[in-house]
């Protein structure tokens, strides 16, 4: 049985993603069981500084250098990773369940012919068996999946699932100047484009009223907007509302939208998918949802299980009375 | 220009009360409504838009039980030209790589330029099948497409949507697999005429496909542990809202 844990470091524009540190921390629990080491695998062009900042989190930083890694190109990523993994045979390879890992991790699993469980919130190893918990159906059910890790395996974990602790290691940096045997010219990175600023900056709002798919109809938004205005709150939303074109992208809270930090966040008809919740940093979260099992009630401080179209008019009236 | 769209039948679970079936591995299906996976609806629309611009076929393909024909017919009603269903009684028993193999086995013999899949299925949210399919077909892929620009039939410019709404733009040559994120376009509704026509179209059924071995096993499904929970305010809307208003006042928020 192989022993080491590889953590594939995610970085963009020279910044390492938090999820990579989370995985390095979790990696130690697993490596301890196996008697192996935690190895941060950094594919980068200009990665010296990133490698330095990883040192205290890993037993070793494997810095694979090539200018191709400047921007993500899955085929080159997979070739480099396959080659290193083939040589060093780690027990497990960990990725964050992020947009870039969607591009790489499943392709790598296929290339190496090894199993992958993605979208995990937790995992453990028991002998040769890896077990992982995956939130299914928008988080209303947990699935437990397993694979035989005799020949290695890949796990991709949702950002925020584990806390970061700095183990204060002083991992050596092993730098490999990687050269490629194959060229891939059927895919090419062109450029990054920042999200447009838009009219309103919800990240600065002190109070937010956010709507989700539970609002059902574009016409219903006016009434919620009235309520938001009446308490001096900014209107925001979950992704499906933007997808439907009912509100502009700049109002979207979540992993592919904005991270907000208001004093008050009122979630109306939002189920509470992790991609939404990860964008809310607030001390007072209130959720109104018809479904008592909606995952949003796990992060909310106060909840009302009811129809938002009954609660909101009543709440608006009550608050007006108190003024 | 021909496209293939992989579509999955999924239960609508956001508002439903979910019950686990006696085998502990899947949901009781009696009271569930099933529909086309959200992201696949955008993938289908993108294929239909390409067809309008460059002509050609749109083939929809799905692995699933006979009930899957409902979503397949809906896709035909919107304008898909061909349909294939790879029969499987219980897709919860297949891992992502097996689904991708079953799809690849059929798609490899089709005449196609682009294969679209959803970026993720709303039930398992794996985001695996599209990329694995590309590997099985030995063609390049781009995941999380939110925009596609195309001047000719050989290549396209694809914008991937990353965290925080950042866009990474790529150029990709066809044939390729593109996984589509929700919001890429405005999916059309099927017309009455379309629905009528679709009812007469054939769905090719692959009855007895060779089922690849799973690498990943589903052990069981369970209700998530109770854990931390919000303080639930109960009563009529008047009572709950009045209690909530008090709390907000106490906290000095209003
Ligand atoms: C890569 C990626 C990035 C993503 N980024 C984001 C993101 O940035 N932000 C984001 O929000 N999502 C994002 N998503 C989507 C996310 O996974 C969920 O699909 C989405 O958050 C669900 O939105 P929702 O809660 O509004 O809808 P649903 O999940 O459909 O929930 C609707 C809720 O409304 C309730 N409801 C219905 N009617 C009423 C009523 N009358 N009164 C009260 N309650 C009612 C229902 O019980 C249900 O809980 C992303 C997904 C992926 C794969
Ligand atoms: N049973 C299936 N039949 C056809 N396509 C599927 C099936 N399962 C998944 N897909 C496709 O793969 C995408 C990603 O699914 P997943 O990897 O499960 O998140 C979906 O959006 C579909 O386009």
């Amino acid at each position: 049985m192989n022993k080491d844990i590889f953590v594939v470091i995610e970085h963009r524009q020279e910044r390492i993603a938090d999820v990579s540190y989370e995985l390095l921390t979790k990696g130690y629990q697993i490596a301890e069981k196996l008697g192996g080491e935690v190895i941060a695998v950094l594919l980068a062009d200009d990665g010296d500084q990133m490698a330095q900042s990883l040192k205290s989190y890993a037993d070793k930083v494997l810095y694979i250098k090539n200018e191709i890694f400047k921007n993500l190109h899955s085929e080159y990523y997979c070739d480099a990773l396959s080659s290193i993994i083939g040589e060093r045979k780690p027990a497990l390879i960990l990725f964050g369940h992020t947009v870039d890992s969607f591009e790489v991790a499943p392709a790598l699993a296929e290339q190496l012919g090894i199993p992958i469980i993605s979208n995990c919130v937790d995992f453990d190893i028991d002998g040769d068996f890896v077990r992982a918990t995956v939130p299914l159906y928008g988080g209303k059910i947990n699935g437990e999946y397993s694979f035989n890790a005799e020949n290695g395996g890949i796990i991709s974990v949702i950002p925020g699932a584990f806390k970061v602790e700095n183990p204060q290691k002083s991992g050596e940096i092993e730098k490999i100047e990687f050269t490629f045997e194959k060229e891939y010219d059927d895919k090419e990175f062109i450029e990054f484009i920042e999200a447009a600023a838009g009219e309103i900056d919800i990240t600065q709002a002190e109070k937010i009223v956010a709507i989700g798919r539970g609002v059902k109809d574009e016409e219903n938004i006016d009434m919620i907007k009235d309520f938001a205005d009446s308490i001096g709150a900014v209107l925001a939303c979950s992704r499906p509302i933007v997808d439907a074109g009912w509100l502009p992208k700049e109002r979207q809270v979540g992993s592919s939208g904005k991270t907000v930090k208001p004093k008050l966040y009122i979630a109306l008809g939002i189920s509470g998918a992790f991609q939404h919740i990860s964008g809310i940093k607030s001390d007072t979260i209130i959720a109104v949802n018809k479904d008592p099992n909606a995952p949003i009630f796990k992060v909310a401080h106060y909840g009302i299980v009811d129809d938002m179209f009954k609660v909101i008019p009543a709440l608006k009236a009550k608050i007006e009375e108190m003024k | 220009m021909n496209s293939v769209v992989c579509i999955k039948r999924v239960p609508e679970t956001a508002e439903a009360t979910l019950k686990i079936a006696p085998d502990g591995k899947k949901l009781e299906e009696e009271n569930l409504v099933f529909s086309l996976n959200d992201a696949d609806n955008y993938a289908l629309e993108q294929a239909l838009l390409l067809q309008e611009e460059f002509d050609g076929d749109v083939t929809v393909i799905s692995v699933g039980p006979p009930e899957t024909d409902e979503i397949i017919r809906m896709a035909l009603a919107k304008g898909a030209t061909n349909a294939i269903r790879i029969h499987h009684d219980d897709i919860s028993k297949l891992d992502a790589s097996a689904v991708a193999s079953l799809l690849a086995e059929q798609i490899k013999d089709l005449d196609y330029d682009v294969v679209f899949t959803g970026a993720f299925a709303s039930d398992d949210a794996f985001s695996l099948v599209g990329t694995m399919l590309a590997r099985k077909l030995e063609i390049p892929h781009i995941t999380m497409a939110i925009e596609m620009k195309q001047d000719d039939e050989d290549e396209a410019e694809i914008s991937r949507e990353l965290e925080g709404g950042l866009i990474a733009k790529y150029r990709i040559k066809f044939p390729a697999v593109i996984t589509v994120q929700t919001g890429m376009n405005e999916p059309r509704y099927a017309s009455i005429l379309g629905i009528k026509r679709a009812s007469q179209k054939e769905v090719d059924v692959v009855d007895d496909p060779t089922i690849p071995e799973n690498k990943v096993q589903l052990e069981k499904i369970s209700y998530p542990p109770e854990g931390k929970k919000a303080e639930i305010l109960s009563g009529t809307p008047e009572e709950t809202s009045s209690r909530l208003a008090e709390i907000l006042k106490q906290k000095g928020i209003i």
Side-chain angles (χ1 to χ4, degrees):
Chain A
M1 180 77 192
N2 310 312
K3 299 194 185 102
D4 295 342
I5 304 292
F6 272 22
V7 176
V8 180
I9 302 301
E10 168 150 340
H11 58 92
R12 186 172 296 148
Q13 297 166 323
E14 249 113 275
R15 197 188 157 271
I16 295 172
D18 294 344
V19 68
S20 297
Y21 292 108
E22 294 161 16
L23 292 174
L24 288 165
T25 306
K26 173 72 182 181
Y28 276 101
Q29 288 171 25
I30 306 293
E32 216 167 273
K33 274 191 166 178
L34 298 172
E37 297 195 321
V38 175
I39 296 168
V41 183
L42 175 68
L43 281 69
D45 174 29
D46 209 1
D48 288 318
Q49 223 163 9
M50 288 191 284
Q52 285 297 334
S53 50
L54 288 164
K55 272 173 81 166
S56 63
Y57 289 90
D59 293 311
K60 184 186 226 166
V61 181
L62 202 54
Y63 168 22
I64 307 170
K65 183 177 160 62
N66 189 297
E67 62 177 13
I68 278 175
F69 300 138
K70 218 176 172 67
N71 294 298
L72 184 75
H73 189 301
S74 55
E75 275 68 13
Y76 290 113
Y77 252 68
C78 283
D79 279 359
L81 286 169
S82 302
S83 144
I84 299 292
I85 290 163
E87 261 169 41
R88 314 206 177 188
K89 305 200 181 340
L92 280 180
I93 303 136
L94 309 183
F95 282 86
H97 189 59
T98 60
V99 176
D100 278 356
S101 89
F102 299 171
E103 186 84 1
V104 177
L108 182 65
E110 287 294 308
Q111 189 156 335
L112 293 165
I114 59 174
I116 175 169
I117 304 177
S118 67
N119 193 23
C120 305
V121 286
D122 200 6
F123 69 96
D124 204 355
I125 193 159
D126 178 8
D128 272 352
F129 275 87
V130 170
R131 282 174 215 288
T133 309
V134 179
L136 303 175
Y137 309 107
K140 288 169 93 168
I141 295 283
N142 277 346
E144 192 180 304
Y145 293 83
S146 71
F147 61 67
N148 185 326
E150 245 174 336
N151 301 310
I154 302 178
I155 294 278
S156 90
V157 181
I158 290 173
F162 304 121
K163 285 220 161 57
V164 178
E165 278 163 45
N166 189 335
Q168 307 289 352
K169 300 270 172 176
S170 47
E172 61 161 312
I173 298 175
E174 182 185 342
K175 188 164 164 180
I176 303 171
E177 302 273 348
F178 198 82
T179 46
F180 287 98
E181 281 165 21
K182 260 168 107 176
E183 254 188 68
Y184 300 94
D185 57 3
D186 42 20
K187 185 158 82 183
E188 182 196 356
F189 173 86
I190 305 174
E191 60 178 340
F192 283 120
I193 302 167
E194 299 287 338
E199 269 172 26
I200 185 146
D201 185 2
I202 60 171
T203 66
Q204 300 305 315
E206 289 224 340
K207 294 177 212 162
I208 287 180
V209 172
I211 50 171
R213 205 181 253 145
V215 78
K216 289 273 153 57
D217 212 315
E218 190 172 8
E219 274 131 49
N220 295 334
I221 297 179
D222 278 348
M223 174 264 207
I224 309 292
K225 174 87 174 55
D226 274 354
F227 165 67
D229 286 346
S230 77
I231 61 164
V234 166
L235 188 67
C237 63
S238 67
R239 180 166 184 122
I241 301 299
V242 175
D243 289 343
W246 295 350
L247 286 177
K249 182 82 179 172
E250 74 220 43
R251 305 249 179 188
Q252 181 189 319
V253 174
S255 63
S256 56
K258 300 264 169 68
T259 298
V260 296
K261 36 182 195 329
K263 284 198 192 119
L264 172 67
Y265 190 88
I266 305 184
L268 305 174
I270 291 176
S271 62
F274 87 89
Q275 290 101 342
H276 184 77
I277 287 168
S278 65
I280 314 171
K281 309 269 175 282
S282 177
D283 292 334
T284 308
I285 301 175
I286 290 160
V288 182
N289 195 306
K290 282 203 297 204
D291 175 10
N293 296 316
I296 189 78
F297 290 123
K298 292 204 165 147
V299 293
H301 304 93
Y302 300 98
I304 297 176
V305 181
D306 208 338
D307 182 346
M308 60 196 259
F309 297 109
K310 294 198 181 120
V311 174
I312 293 307
L315 182 60
K316 187 169 177 240
K318 275 280 153 12
I319 293 176
E320 241 136 59
E321 257 172 47
M322 286 163 68
K323 273 186 186 163
Chain B
M1 193 177 161
N2 299 327
S3 4
V4 177
V5 189
C6 301
I7 58 175
K8 185 178 188 184
R9 173 182 179 261
V10 293
E12 290 181 13
T13 52
E15 290 175 39
T17 303
L18 304 184
K19 267 187 76 186
I20 295 171
D23 76 350
K25 293 195 178 195
K26 55 175 183 279
L27 296 178
E28 296 268 25
E29 295 192 351
E30 280 85 83
N31 299 314
L32 290 177
V33 175
F34 284 79
S35 58
L36 171 60
N37 180 46
D38 202 20
D40 305 357
N41 196 24
Y42 290 90
L44 173 62
E45 179 63 29
Q46 202 59 34
L48 295 172
L49 290 172
L50 281 190
Q51 185 191 35
E52 282 169 4
E53 202 174 334
F54 298 102
D55 290 330
D57 287 343
V58 173
T59 303
V60 290
I61 183 165
S62 189
V63 183
E67 294 84 347
T68 311
D69 287 355
E70 278 168 42
I71 63 151
I72 291 178
R73 295 236 169 262
M74 196 44 79
L76 288 169
K78 289 187 182 197
T81 45
N82 310 306
I84 303 172
R85 180 170 63 83
I86 304 164
H87 178 77
H88 196 277
D89 272 333
D90 183 2
I91 53 174
S92 72
K93 291 206 167 83
L94 298 172
D95 72 5
S97 186
V99 172
S101 290
L102 287 167
L103 291 168
E105 196 53 38
Q106 299 305 316
I107 296 172
K108 73 176 179 21
D109 297 326
L110 302 176
D111 176 16
Y112 66 88
D113 301 285
V114 195
V115 179
F116 291 104
T117 75
F120 67 110
S122 64
D123 50 1
D124 56 40
F126 282 152
S127 292
L128 293 175
V129 172
T131 302
M132 287 176 156
L133 175 59
R135 280 305 171 116
K136 310 233 188 223
L137 293 169
E138 298 178 11
I139 58 177
H141 67 275
I142 290 274
T143 55
M144 299 296 294
I146 195 73
E147 203 184 330
M148 180 166 182
K149 278 212 191 94
Q150 209 177 338
D151 296 325
D152 58 50
E153 301 191 10
D154 303 326
E155 59 173 41
E157 256 181 43
I158 309 278
S159 295
R160 304 184 67 221
E161 193 191 26
L162 311 179
E163 283 77 12
L166 181 69
I167 300 292
K169 215 183 213 184
Y170 285 81
R171 185 173 297 114
I172 191 162
K173 290 199 179 123
F174 296 149
V177 172
I178 296 171
T179 87
V180 170
Q181 169 63 315
T182 57
M184 188 178 189
N185 46 42
E186 290 172 41
R188 68 195 66 192
Y189 290 95
S191 66
I192 308 271
L193 188 67
I195 293 171
K196 237 186 193 162
R197 274 205 213 113
S199 65
Q200 283 140 29
K201 282 191 192 161
E202 285 284 308
V203 177
D204 285 332
V205 179
V206 181
D207 258 324
D208 196 16
T210 314
I211 306 298
E213 209 176 306
N214 280 345
K215 291 199 186 79
V216 174
Q217 314 300 332
L218 171 61
E219 300 284 344
K220 63 168 201 226
I221 62 173
S222 59
Y223 302 103
E226 273 290 322
K228 202 180 112 244
K229 205 159 178 193
E231 180 183 335
I232 300 290
L233 314 176
S234 47
T236 63
E238 277 63 40
E239 290 162 353
T240 54
S241 58
S242 147
R243 178 83 190 93
L244 185 55
E246 274 164 33
I247 293 169
L248 294 179
K249 181 141 199 198
Q250 266 169 21
K251 291 189 170 252
I253 298 175
I254 54 163

